[in-house]
Amino acid sequence: MVQRWRKHGGRAVALPGEDRDATGLTWTSLAENPLGREACGWAEAKPSSQVTMRQARSAMRELGMEAEVDAWVADQDADIQMAWRGDDMLRRDAPLLLQVAVAKDYPADLIDDLFFAAEAVTDPTRKVPL
Protein backbone atom coordinates (compact mmCIF):
# COMPACT_ATOMS: atom_id res chain seq x y z
CA MET A 1 0.00 0.00 0.00
CA VAL A 2 1.21 3.46 -0.84
CA GLN A 3 1.47 5.69 2.20
CA ARG A 4 -0.85 8.67 1.90
CA TRP A 5 -0.76 12.07 3.56
CA ARG A 6 -3.18 14.94 4.13
CA LYS A 7 -2.23 18.59 4.24
CA HIS A 8 -4.38 20.47 6.73
CA GLY A 9 -7.02 17.73 6.56
CA GLY A 10 -7.37 17.83 2.77
CA ARG A 11 -7.56 14.96 0.31
CA ALA A 12 -5.24 11.97 0.82
CA VAL A 13 -2.28 12.18 -1.57
CA ALA A 14 1.31 11.04 -1.93
CA LEU A 15 3.73 13.16 0.09
CA PRO A 16 5.62 15.65 -2.11
CA GLY A 17 9.39 15.86 -1.92
CA GLU A 18 9.27 19.45 -0.74
CA ASP A 19 6.77 22.05 0.41
CA ARG A 20 6.56 25.52 1.94
CA ASP A 21 5.37 26.30 5.44
CA ALA A 22 3.12 29.24 6.38
CA THR A 23 6.13 31.59 6.59
CA GLY A 24 7.30 30.69 3.07
CA LEU A 25 10.27 28.59 4.19
CA THR A 26 10.88 25.63 1.86
CA TRP A 27 11.29 22.25 3.52
CA THR A 28 12.86 19.40 1.54
CA SER A 29 13.07 15.62 1.95
CA LEU A 30 9.68 15.57 3.66
CA ALA A 31 9.58 11.75 3.72
CA GLU A 32 12.57 11.75 6.09
CA ASN A 33 11.84 15.06 7.79
CA PRO A 34 9.04 14.91 10.40
CA LEU A 35 9.69 18.52 11.48
CA GLY A 36 9.26 19.70 7.90
CA ARG A 37 6.05 17.67 7.48
CA GLU A 38 4.64 19.16 10.67
CA ALA A 39 5.70 22.71 9.74
CA CYS A 40 4.00 22.38 6.35
CA GLY A 41 0.82 20.86 7.79
CA TRP A 42 1.21 17.25 6.60
CA ALA A 43 -0.16 14.34 8.60
CA GLU A 44 -0.38 10.67 7.71
CA ALA A 45 -3.77 9.94 6.16
CA LYS A 46 -6.08 7.26 7.48
CA PRO A 47 -8.80 5.87 5.22
CA SER A 48 -12.30 7.24 5.63
CA SER A 49 -14.48 5.35 8.08
CA GLN A 50 -17.44 5.39 5.67
CA VAL A 51 -18.26 6.26 2.08
CA THR A 52 -21.43 6.18 0.01
CA MET A 53 -22.21 2.92 -1.78
CA ARG A 54 -21.93 4.83 -5.06
CA GLN A 55 -18.39 5.85 -4.14
CA ALA A 56 -17.59 2.31 -2.98
CA ARG A 57 -18.90 0.69 -6.17
CA SER A 58 -17.01 3.17 -8.33
CA ALA A 59 -13.81 2.46 -6.38
CA MET A 60 -14.37 -1.32 -6.63
CA ARG A 61 -14.70 -0.94 -10.39
CA GLU A 62 -11.48 1.11 -10.50
CA LEU A 63 -9.63 -1.51 -8.43
CA GLY A 64 -11.00 -4.45 -10.46
CA MET A 65 -13.01 -5.85 -7.53
CA GLU A 66 -16.59 -5.06 -8.56
CA ALA A 67 -17.42 -8.22 -10.54
CA GLU A 68 -15.81 -10.48 -7.95
CA VAL A 69 -17.68 -8.83 -5.05
CA ASP A 70 -20.97 -8.85 -6.99
CA ALA A 71 -20.52 -12.57 -7.72
CA TRP A 72 -19.86 -13.29 -4.03
CA VAL A 73 -22.94 -11.29 -2.96
CA ALA A 74 -25.08 -13.08 -5.58
CA ASP A 75 -24.12 -16.42 -3.98
CA GLN A 76 -25.32 -15.29 -0.52
CA ASP A 77 -28.77 -15.49 1.02
CA ALA A 78 -31.48 -12.94 0.27
CA ASP A 79 -30.86 -10.95 3.48
CA ILE A 80 -27.22 -10.33 2.60
CA GLN A 81 -28.13 -9.43 -0.97
CA MET A 82 -30.76 -6.95 0.25
CA ALA A 83 -28.33 -5.41 2.73
CA TRP A 84 -25.68 -4.96 0.03
CA ARG A 85 -28.12 -3.41 -2.45
CA GLY A 86 -30.13 -1.43 0.09
CA ASP A 87 -27.44 0.29 2.15
CA ASP A 88 -26.68 3.91 1.27
CA MET A 89 -23.35 3.97 3.09
CA LEU A 90 -20.50 1.50 3.44
CA ARG A 91 -18.63 1.57 6.73
CA ARG A 92 -15.02 0.39 6.97
CA ASP A 93 -16.02 -1.83 9.91
CA ALA A 94 -19.28 -3.15 8.41
CA PRO A 95 -19.73 -6.88 9.13
CA LEU A 96 -20.76 -7.48 5.52
CA LEU A 97 -17.59 -5.87 4.18
CA LEU A 98 -15.52 -7.92 6.62
CA GLN A 99 -17.27 -11.10 5.40
CA VAL A 100 -16.45 -10.21 1.79
CA ALA A 101 -12.82 -9.44 2.69
CA VAL A 102 -12.38 -12.77 4.49
CA ALA A 103 -14.18 -14.77 1.79
CA LYS A 104 -12.15 -13.19 -1.02
CA ASP A 105 -8.92 -13.12 1.02
CA TYR A 106 -8.57 -9.36 0.58
CA PRO A 107 -5.75 -7.92 2.70
CA ALA A 108 -6.47 -4.96 4.98
CA ASP A 109 -4.38 -2.66 2.79
CA LEU A 110 -6.63 -3.42 -0.21
CA ILE A 111 -9.67 -2.42 1.84
CA ASP A 112 -7.81 0.76 2.83
CA ASP A 113 -7.08 1.39 -0.87
CA LEU A 114 -10.78 0.88 -1.59
CA PHE A 115 -11.77 3.56 0.92
CA PHE A 116 -9.07 6.00 -0.26
CA ALA A 117 -10.21 5.50 -3.87
CA ALA A 118 -13.87 5.87 -2.88
CA GLU A 119 -13.15 9.08 -1.02
CA ALA A 120 -11.77 10.56 -4.25
CA VAL A 121 -14.89 9.73 -6.30
CA THR A 122 -16.69 12.89 -7.36
CA ASP A 123 -20.21 13.58 -8.54
CA PRO A 124 -19.84 13.93 -12.33
CA THR A 125 -22.55 16.58 -12.44
CA ARG A 126 -20.86 18.81 -9.85
CA LYS A 127 -17.16 17.85 -10.06
CA VAL A 128 -16.86 17.75 -6.28
CA PRO A 129 -16.35 14.84 -3.86
CA LEU A 130 -19.57 13.18 -2.77
Side-chain angles (χ1 to χ4, degrees), residues 1 12 22 33 56 68 70 76 86 96 98 114 124 130:
M1 179 172 102
N33 188 344
E68 190 173 54
D70 283 346
Q76 304 309 304
L96 183 53
L98 299 176
L114 169 67
L130 293 175

Side-chain angles (χ1 to χ4, degrees), residues 5 7 13-20 25-34 36-37 40 42:
W5 299 84
K7 183 169 182 170
V13 297
L15 185 67
E18 66 179 44
D19 196 7
R20 292 184 187 279
L25 181 64
T26 299
W27 294 80
T28 60
S29 304
L30 292 178
E32 297 85 30
N33 188 344
R37 289 192 305 264
C40 295
W42 290 101

Side-chain angles (χ1 to χ4, degrees), residues 10-125:
R11 184 171 285 191
V13 297
L15 185 67
E18 66 179 44
D19 196 7
R20 292 184 187 279
D21 64 19
T23 68
L25 181 64
T26 299
W27 294 80
T28 60
S29 304
L30 292 178
E32 297 85 30
N33 188 344
L35 291 175
R37 289 192 305 264
E38 183 178 343
C40 295
W42 290 101
E44 187 175 353
K46 303 291 185 220
S48 297
S49 61
Q50 73 176 16
V51 295
T52 67
M53 282 302 285
R54 182 184 170 289
Q55 288 174 299
R57 291 192 65 77
S58 180
M60 281 185 242
R61 189 174 311 114
E62 178 183 320
L63 295 172
M65 301 166 58
E66 184 180 33
E68 190 173 54
V69 170
D70 283 346
W72 182 87
V73 170
D75 286 341
Q76 304 309 304
D77 65 35
D79 289 337
I80 289 178
Q81 291 178 30
M82 273 194 317
W84 187 253
R85 285 192 307 264
D87 286 347
D88 293 332
M89 302 297 292
L90 181 62
R91 292 188 50 82
R92 176 75 175 76
D93 61 355
L96 183 53
L97 180 60
L98 299 176
Q99 288 177 10
V100 172
V102 168
K104 303 312 297 174
D105 199 28
Y106 292 152
D109 60 343
L110 179 60
I111 302 303
D112 288 346
D113 288 344
L114 169 67
F115 276 75
F116 279 123
E119 177 184 299
V121 171
T122 58
D123 180 338
T125 63

